[in-house]
């Protein structure tokens, strides 16, 4: 049942990438490097999961990178300036993300502004709010309990990897097997049909954007913990990688189709690409170009496929 | 009191008046034909009955319950189903998902309701419903969009009949069908009638209307211009009502 929802091409790409990288770099094929890749992928992967839900409902969330930055700063403010316990720090990250997403959803459904514009605007607003909250300077020095979330290694496995995999498993079942998931796909497939069959489309969309924002908050929490700072520039341009991972994973850009296991593979492809380019000491400017190019290529291949059918 | 009562229903989209004080009533177990020119307002009228559009003014009573203030899903629960002109299918989803769209059966996991869809039950029931309709599809896990036009129409019909409706509204249900399949649908309508289920049939094919309907309503530019018993009218008369010659 897992296999059915994976786009075969993405597995080929993953295989080719792994073989190429192991030939090019002797450091690539090792458990520790593999864990490194997963660790580096976890933040992007969690954002990509949110994007998968939103895009498969024929929506779009460009704000996830900024919202992630805002959430991290919000968490750091709550812990360091309000001097609240780390649990409130976690909650602050997720709730801040969720609230930003909720606003996205309200504007898309009530004000009927295209998601592209709403979330592009939120990309600016959330980034500005993050900078404002901490006066443009990162908030350093978080409690040890909070640092465990991003730096702990139970059984030698980085904690963010565990969070990523647990979130991926739960959301896979939500999208593939629950009413909520089915309705998400139906809304993306044919919104009029969803309305005609009595699905409350607006409410559902608000939930989706809030969900995407909440996941961005979770990603922000992990990032903040990993770098031990509430950094207002965290997540800059991450939406590009997140959306690319979702699309490579087989999410239909126009809605109606998407799977978390596919997105997981898509995120892994992006992670390996970045890790490989790092190992080969390719300048980071080229890496950014590569990510952008991959997005365009993935959509192009998808369109060629569609025309064939 | 009739089964369904529509009173003084008007609807405008912006400045365009699409329906103008429509009043009609329908008895239980009767088959009503609703005819009229393109753009007369037939689909809009029926979409107000199913709650997709809200009327500008007027009321609709189903067994004395007001429908204009409740949601589409509540109206479906009260037993009104509609086969939409564009079929309202989710083309990338499979057949059983379309048949159970919005009303997926859920199964409990360890006694807890997590909203998990009971896909097995959906597939099993879908196979039976499609067989009962005498139709054939490759597999219920087939994407709806890959089916032929007629097969898609069958899926839309199957969906409308799955939850024991009291009123079935059919908006051009035979448009994509071959002669034999058209006959099937007409027989189906008579079968529904014999079970006490009311049917509203919208069609441009007057032959079909005359074959199964008890009463014919003609809508012209948003107004009911004729409400006649089939036995007391003729096709020519209906045509002249439609075009406004009478
Ligand atoms: N959502 C809408 N917004 C604006 N105008 C609409 C909308 N839906 C329908 N109309 C207009 O209302 C009028 C009636 O449309 P309707 O679809 O009810 O006609 P119809 O009788 O079903 O026609 P047909 O036989 O072609 O299906 C048309 O002029 C149409 O343009
Ligand atoms: Mg119509």
């Amino acid at each position: 049942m897992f296999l059915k929802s994976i786009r075969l091409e993405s597995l080929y790409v993953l295989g080719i990438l792994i073989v190429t990288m192991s030939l090019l770099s002797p450091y690539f094929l090792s458990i520790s490097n593999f864990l490194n890749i997963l660790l580096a992928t976890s933040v992007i992967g969690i954002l990509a999961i949110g994007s998968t839900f939103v895009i498969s409902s024929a929506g779009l969330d460009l704000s996830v990178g900024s919202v992630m930055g805002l959430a991290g700063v919000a968490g750091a403010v709550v812990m360091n300036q309000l001097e609240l316990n780390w649990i409130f720090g976690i909650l602050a990250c997720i709730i801040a993300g969720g609230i930003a997403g909720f606003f996205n959803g309200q504007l898309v459904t009530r004000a009927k502004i295209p998601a592209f514009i709403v979330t592009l605007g939120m990309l600016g607003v959330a980034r500005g709010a993050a900078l404002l909250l901490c006066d443009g300077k990162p908030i350093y020095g978080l409690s040890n309990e909070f640092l465990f979330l991003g730096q702990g290694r139970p059984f030698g496995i980085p904690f963010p990897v565990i969070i990523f995999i647990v979130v991926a498993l739960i959301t896979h079942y939500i999208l593939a097997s629950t009413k909520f998931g089915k309705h998400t796909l139906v809304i993306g497939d044919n919104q009029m049909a969803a309305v005609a069959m009595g699905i409350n489309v607006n409410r559902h969309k608000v939930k989706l954007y809030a969900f995407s924002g909440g996941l961005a908050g979770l990603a922000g929490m992990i990032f903040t913990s990993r770098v031990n700072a509430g950094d207002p520039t965290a997540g800059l341009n991450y939406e590009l990688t997140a959306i690319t991972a979702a699309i490579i994973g087989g999410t239909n850009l126009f809605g109606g189709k998407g799977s978390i296991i596919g997105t997981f593979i898509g995120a892994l492809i992006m992670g390996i690409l970045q890790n490989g380019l790092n190992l080969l000491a390719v300048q980071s400017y080229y890496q950014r170009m590569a990510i952008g190019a991959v997005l365009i290529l993935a959509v192009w291949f998808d369109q060629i496929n569609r025309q064939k059918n | 009191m009739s089964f369904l009562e529509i009173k003084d229903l008007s609807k405008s989209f912006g400045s365009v008046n699409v329906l103008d004080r429509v009043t009609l009533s329908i008895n239980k177990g009767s088959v009503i034909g609703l005819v009229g020119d393109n753009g007369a307002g037939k689909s809009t009228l029926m979409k107000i009955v199913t709650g997709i559009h809200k009327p500008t003014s007027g009321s609709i009573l189903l067994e004395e319950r007001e429908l204009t203030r409740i949601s589409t899903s509540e109206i479906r629960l009260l037993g009104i189903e509609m086969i939409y002109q564009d079929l309202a299918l989710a083309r990338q989803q499979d057949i059983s998902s379309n048949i159970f769209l919005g009303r997926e059966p859920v199964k409990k996991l360890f006694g807890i309701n997590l909203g998990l869809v009971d896909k097995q039950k959906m597939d099993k029931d879908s196979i039976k419903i499609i067989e009962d309709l005498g139709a054939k599809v490759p597999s219920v896990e087939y994407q709806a969009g890959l089916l032929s036009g007629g097969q898609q129409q069958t899926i839309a019909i199957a969906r409308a009949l799955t939850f024991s409706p009291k009123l079935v509204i059919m908006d051009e249900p035979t448009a994509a069908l071959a002669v034999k399949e058209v006959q099937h649908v007409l027989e189906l309508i008579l079968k529904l009638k014999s079970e006490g289920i009311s049917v509203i049939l919208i069609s441009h094919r007057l032959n079909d209307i005359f074959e199964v309907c008890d009463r014919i309503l003609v809508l012209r530019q948003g107004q009911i211009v004729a409400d006649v018993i089939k036995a007391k009218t003729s096709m020519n008369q209906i045509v002249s009502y439609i075009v406004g010659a009478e």
Side-chain angles (χ1 to χ4, degrees):
Chain A
M1 105 149 253
F2 263 24
L3 272 177
K4 227 179 71 185
S5 45
I6 300 177
R7 208 161 77 165
L8 227 46
E9 297 94 311
S10 68
L11 276 180
Y12 294 147
V13 173
L14 186 67
I16 292 169
L17 257 181
I18 290 175
V19 172
T20 317
M21 288 305 175
S22 17
L23 291 177
L24 287 176
S25 165
Y27 306 107
F28 182 78
L29 260 194
S30 68
I31 290 192
S32 75
N33 191 46
F34 185 66
L35 286 177
N36 270 339
I37 292 172
L38 274 175
L39 176 60
T41 307
S42 54
V43 165
I44 289 292
I46 289 171
L47 297 179
I49 287 172
S51 288
T52 306
F53 275 84
V54 174
I55 296 174
S56 50
S57 77
L60 183 65
D61 190 350
L62 294 173
S63 70
V64 289
S66 296
V67 168
M68 169 187 150
L70 172 62
V73 172
V77 165
V78 162
M79 286 183 292
N80 280 25
Q81 293 175 5
L82 305 182
E83 294 181 355
L84 288 171
N85 175 303
W86 58 280
I87 293 179
F88 289 98
I90 297 177
L91 290 177
C93 291
I94 296 172
I95 291 172
I99 290 174
F102 177 79
F103 276 112
N104 281 335
Q106 291 292 340
L107 288 166
V108 168
T109 54
R110 279 181 203 261
K112 310 239 177 285
I113 307 167
F116 173 78
I117 296 299
V118 168
T119 60
L120 184 62
M122 182 58 79
L123 178 148
V125 171
R127 183 66 66 198
L131 288 160
L132 191 70
L133 256 183
C134 62
D135 203 16
K137 292 182 282 289
I139 300 171
Y140 292 107
L142 303 168
S143 71
N144 281 332
E145 291 92 337
F146 188 79
L147 293 186
F148 183 82
L149 299 168
Q151 302 179 9
R153 285 186 169 251
F155 311 107
I157 304 167
F159 200 58
V161 173
I162 297 175
I163 299 179
F164 177 32
I165 291 175
V166 169
V167 168
L169 284 174
I170 294 173
T171 52
H172 176 81
Y173 277 102
I174 292 178
L175 188 56
S177 310
T178 66
K179 264 183 125 123
F180 184 84
K182 291 234 168 224
H183 292 180
T184 301
L185 297 174
V186 169
I187 289 170
D189 201 330
N190 182 350
Q191 180 163 326
M192 268 321 295
V195 171
M197 292 304 121
I199 296 172
N200 190 332
V201 170
N202 283 352
R203 195 182 337 155
H204 197 96
K205 284 188 180 171
V206 172
K207 285 184 196 166
L208 287 173
Y209 283 97
F211 186 57
S212 172
L215 285 175
L218 183 68
M221 175 202 89
I222 294 174
F223 188 92
T224 302
S225 169
R226 263 182 71 196
V227 301
N228 190 9
D231 179 358
T233 64
L236 204 64
N237 296 329
Y238 277 27
E239 60 282 341
L240 174 64
T241 320
I243 292 170
T244 306
I247 300 291
I248 302 180
T251 309
N252 184 351
L253 187 55
F254 306 104
K257 200 164 135 273
S259 86
I260 300 304
I261 186 80
T263 294
F264 190 88
I265 292 171
L268 221 50
I269 290 175
M270 300 312 288
I272 291 176
L273 194 66
Q274 270 175 326
N275 175 269
L277 296 174
N278 279 338
L279 286 181
L280 300 177
V282 175
Q283 232 184 355
S284 73
Y285 309 140
Y286 289 113
Q287 295 190 16
R288 248 193 221 174
M289 288 171 71
I291 296 169
V294 168
L295 174 60
I296 296 173
L297 279 177
V299 173
W300 189 22
F301 280 133
D302 192 46
Q303 253 160 17
I304 292 172
N305 259 339
R306 223 177 283 276
Q307 274 156 13
K308 262 195 260 165
N309 292 335
Chain B
M1 195 70 192
S2 321
F3 172 62
L4 184 81
E5 295 251 4
I6 298 180
K7 269 193 230 136
D8 277 331
L9 199 79
S10 296
K11 172 72 183 174
S12 46
F13 290 109
S15 61
V16 188
N17 296 321
V18 176
L19 294 172
D20 183 17
R21 281 164 294 150
V22 170
T23 297
L24 58 94
S25 65
I26 290 169
N27 292 326
K28 205 162 171 52
S30 59
V31 180
I32 309 291
L34 180 59
V35 298
D37 230 336
N38 292 124
K42 307 179 294 293
S43 298
T44 305
L45 177 60
M46 290 302 125
K47 282 179 181 171
I48 294 174
V49 174
T50 61
I52 291 188
H53 293 313
K54 293 294 162 206
T56 312
S57 64
S59 77
I60 303 174
L61 298 175
L62 177 81
E63 294 176 322
E64 299 182 34
R65 267 202 68 163
E66 178 63 54
L67 297 186
T68 54
R69 278 187 287 279
I70 63 177
S71 71
T72 299
S73 67
E74 288 169 297
I75 291 172
R76 285 189 84 193
L77 285 174
L78 291 178
I80 298 183
E81 291 286 343
M82 176 157 170
I83 298 157
Y84 292 87
Q85 196 165 7
D86 65 2
L87 303 182
L89 294 180
R91 299 171 56 86
Q92 293 172 79
Q93 317 307 316
D94 65 17
I95 292 173
S96 60
S97 299
N98 270 287
I99 290 181
F100 284 90
L101 216 169
R103 287 190 166 178
E104 298 81 358
V106 292
K107 62 179 176 210
K108 288 186 174 170
L109 198 66
F110 311 119
I112 320 165
N113 180 3
L114 296 169
L116 279 183
V117 170
D118 192 344
K119 181 81 168 78
Q120 268 173 328
K121 180 173 162 49
M122 268 167 53
D123 285 350
K124 209 178 81 212
D125 291 0
S126 299
I127 292 172
K128 187 169 178 309
I129 296 157
I130 292 169
E131 268 176 8
D132 286 354
L133 281 174
K136 283 193 183 62
V137 293
S139 143
V140 284
E141 295 191 65
Y142 217 68
Q143 274 183 33
L146 299 176
L147 297 172
S148 75
Q151 286 171 325
Q152 291 189 17
Q153 214 137 27
T154 306
I155 302 309
I157 293 173
R159 180 169 66 191
L161 302 184
T162 303
F163 296 94
S164 17
K166 293 179 185 161
L167 166 66
V168 179
I169 301 165
M170 303 186 174
D171 197 348
E172 300 277 357
T174 57
L177 300 184
V179 182
K180 198 171 121 238
E181 275 69 35
V182 171
Q183 216 49 44
H184 259 128
V185 172
L186 297 179
E187 281 162 22
L188 181 72
I189 291 172
L190 293 176
K191 181 164 158 272
L192 293 175
K193 175 184 158 77
S194 72
E195 291 167 11
I197 299 168
S198 314
V199 177
I200 298 175
L201 173 63
I202 298 177
S203 180
H204 291 291
R205 302 159 56 116
L206 291 184
N207 281 322
D208 296 354
I209 296 278
F210 271 78
E211 194 170 332
V212 295
C213 295
D214 309 316
R215 240 172 82 205
I216 301 171
L217 298 169
V218 183
L219 203 56
R220 190 168 72 232
Q221 292 174 1
Q223 289 182 318
I224 298 279
V225 293
D227 180 348
V228 287
I229 308 285
K230 185 198 45 196
K232 293 187 180 158
T233 184
S234 67
M235 236 177 256
N236 282 337
Q237 195 184 20
I238 294 296
V239 170
S240 50
Y241 279 127
I242 292 174
V243 298
E246 197 164 322

